[in-house]
Amino acid sequence: MNRALRHLRQNLVAYLALFVALGGTSYAAITIPRNSVGARQIRNHSINPVKLNGRYFGGYVRLWAQIDQSGHVIASRPRGAQILQWNSSPNTPFTGGSIRWPTGIAAGCFPVVSSAGFVVGSGPASVSAELNGAPGRRFVVIYDSEPTAVNVLVVCPTP
């Protein structure tokens, strides 16, 4: 009980922000009618081609993959992502592994990873990733606190 109370005290602001955000989203989802925002609600010239020009975006998702908790690629873009190695044993210091795509990872790109599920009994797992390997043979290493499914993105700067 003491441990749970300490966790709640340390994360009170985060939980409060989460509930406020979810409450606002839920309210909007319930009260705003379907298809209520259309051409009439958008002011003339508020969205123009300049705002949609790719030169003004800082980056884009070049590669992505979904990996289940046992280390199998469920889906990826482009196809052909390969798990180089994976450890899904729950009582080891390192769970996770590494993944590579056939197209390679360009210089300046960086990985983003998120837990795609909850670990039974302990809540969400914490995950992190880093880029590793020589140019032309780069791969993403995923560190997972518990064996869980993960989503991996490789974000690259806009050319």
Side-chain angles (χ1 to χ4, degrees), residues 91-111:
N91 295 324
T92 58
F94 170 74
T95 59
S98 54
I99 183 171
R100 178 175 35 204
W101 285 264
T103 57
I105 301 171
C109 298
F110 61 93

Side-chain angles (χ1 to χ4, degrees), residues 55-152:
R55 293 184 306 175
Y56 296 107
F57 295 110
Y60 66 101
V61 175
R62 174 145 187 234
L63 310 165
W64 64 266
Q66 293 178 322
I67 305 169
D68 68 10
Q69 67 185 23
S70 59
H72 298 100
V73 176
I74 298 169
S76 71
R77 284 289 182 262
R79 290 184 181 179
Q82 295 177 324
I83 298 294
L84 300 176
Q85 55 89 15
W86 198 265
N87 179 12
S88 58
S89 301
N91 295 324
T92 58
F94 170 74
T95 59
S98 54
I99 183 171
R100 178 175 35 204
W101 285 264
T103 57
I105 301 171
C109 298
F110 61 93
V112 178
V113 65
S114 68
S115 173
F118 283 86
V119 180
V120 177
S122 65
S126 84
V127 293
S128 63
E130 69 179 5
L131 208 53
N132 209 332
R137 301 193 51 147
R138 288 191 170 97
F139 56 93
V140 174
V141 180
I142 301 160
Y143 304 98
D144 206 349
S145 66
E146 299 284 337
T148 184
V150 294
N151 297 316
V152 184

Side-chain angles (χ1 to χ4, degrees), residues 1-25:
M1 181 66 176
N2 189 21
R3 188 172 161 197
L5 189 59
R6 185 169 13 111
H7 173 78
L8 183 62
R9 249 186 281 141
Q10 290 173 344
N11 296 296
L12 182 64
V13 173
Y15 284 125
L16 183 62
L18 175 67
F19 288 120
V20 168
L22 290 176
T25 304

